[in-house]
Amino acid sequence: MLVVLAFVVLFLILWAILIALEPLIRGSAGRVAHFTAAFRYRDYLPVFVLLVVGAIVTVFAGDGFIDLAERVHGKSPALQKIDARWHDWAVSERTAGATTFFAAMSVIGGPVVLGLITGLLAAVLAIQRRFRWAAYVAVTVAGGGVVLIELKTYFARARPALAEMLRQAHGYSFPSGHAMGATVALGAYTYLALRVLKTWRQKAAAIAFAITFVLAIASSRVYLGVHWLSDIAAGISAGLLWVATTTIGYETSRRIRLVRAIRKRRNTPNV
């Protein structure tokens, strides 16, 4: 199927780009480490860098969501025209193979499957005594669900026409629950994968897969006629904002604990 091939190609392109960026990332990290070698609190530099990067990501995602939310709330004619154009195009381009693929993506990216995966992952991590990881993934995914419900209730946007839907969908349309849920869940899973995987090639593959899979799930909702394109964009933006907030918070606290443990060992005299 062409649609499957398209997403495989997208994954390979993203993977290749991330692999090509490795020298730049390592070189930048080395230069920063050399520059800050004489700083008294250089141990906390990774925490500072993490907070800066996190702030940039959250501001970017938050700005994107707020912009879309304002346009939806104000019933922007330009946004409605774009939504209608993409909706009509998706309806006109439907094929049996693409419908099968996107229907499967919609099921996989739904709250039931992602909830089961998250619960199973949290249970496995708890059995392995990775209690902090289990709490992180559970709080991130469950909290994202609560935020989603509040956003849908607040904006109360109607879905596209029922007659053009290939699958039944209930509730409000903005933001897309599948897009936001997939972004939050895959973002949390990817963070844990990056903590486990050893080589940059493996980590790059995990990131590329997560991006590709989120886009496949999000696209399925437009294809199936149950969401507008702006719902999808808002869901990804809101999901990115939420998972960035929880991940930065968790990673910051982890690094602070690590730095304090290292400093404590340095200050402990040898017996």
Side-chain angles (χ1 to χ4, degrees):
M1 286 188 296
L2 290 178
V3 66
V4 177
L5 179 61
F7 280 106
V8 171
V9 170
L10 175 60
F11 164 75
L12 294 175
I13 290 174
L14 291 173
W15 190 19
I17 292 174
L18 290 170
I19 290 175
L21 289 176
E22 181 182 13
L24 177 62
I25 296 173
R26 290 187 180 277
S28 299
R31 285 190 292 271
V32 171
H34 177 75
F35 177 74
T36 59
F39 288 6
R40 180 179 179 182
Y41 296 101
R42 62 183 179 275
D43 292 341
Y44 286 96
L45 179 65
V47 177
F48 174 75
V49 173
L50 183 67
L51 291 175
V52 171
V53 173
I56 293 173
V57 172
T58 52
V59 168
F60 174 78
D63 182 68
F65 178 80
I66 291 173
D67 181 62
L68 284 169
E70 289 177 346
R71 291 174 182 271
V72 168
H73 188 68
K75 299 185 184 300
S76 167
L79 183 63
Q80 291 178 346
K81 185 176 180 179
I82 293 173
D83 281 337
R85 182 180 302 166
W86 278 95
H87 175 76
D88 294 341
W89 178 83
V91 171
S92 66
E93 295 296 322
R94 287 170 177 168
T95 64
T99 299
T100 300
F101 172 78
F102 283 121
M105 288 297 100
S106 184
V107 172
I108 294 172
V112 174
V113 174
L114 288 182
L116 288 174
I117 293 174
T118 301
L120 179 61
L121 176 60
V124 171
L125 291 172
I127 292 173
Q128 295 178 343
R129 305 187 67 81
R130 294 279 191 175
F131 299 117
R132 289 194 177 96
W133 284 13
Y136 158 77
V137 73
V139 169
T140 298
V141 176
V146 173
V147 173
L148 172 65
I149 293 173
E150 293 299 320
L151 290 175
K152 280 183 174 290
T153 303
Y154 177 79
F155 289 101
R157 189 188 195 187
R159 292 181 181 272
L162 181 62
E164 295 180 339
M165 293 183 183
L166 290 180
R167 293 292 185 275
Q168 288 187 343
H170 306 285
Y172 296 121
S173 183
F174 184 92
S176 165
H178 279 65
M180 182 173 175
T183 302
V184 170
L186 269 294
Y189 303 161
T190 303
Y191 166 73
L192 295 181
L194 296 180
R195 293 284 306 277
V196 173
L197 299 175
K198 303 300 182 182
T199 68
W200 175 249
R201 184 177 293 270
Q202 293 172 337
K203 294 179 180 182
I207 297 172
F209 175 80
I211 295 173
T212 305
F213 208 64
V214 167
L215 290 177
I217 292 171
S219 300
S220 73
R221 305 303 283 171
V222 176
Y223 178 90
L224 297 174
V226 296
H227 275 294
W228 304 109
L229 180 64
S230 56
D231 298 335
I232 300 304
I236 292 175
S237 297
L240 182 60
L241 176 61
W242 176 254
V243 74
T245 300
T246 59
T247 304
I248 295 302
Y250 175 80
E251 182 66 11
T252 299
S253 65
R254 184 185 77 86
R255 288 184 176 273
I256 289 177
R257 289 196 307 270
L258 180 61
V259 171
R260 287 177 175 173
I262 293 174
R263 284 174 169 256
K264 184 177 180 179
R265 285 199 297 268
R266 286 176 182 171
N267 297 329
T268 301
N270 294 326
V271 179

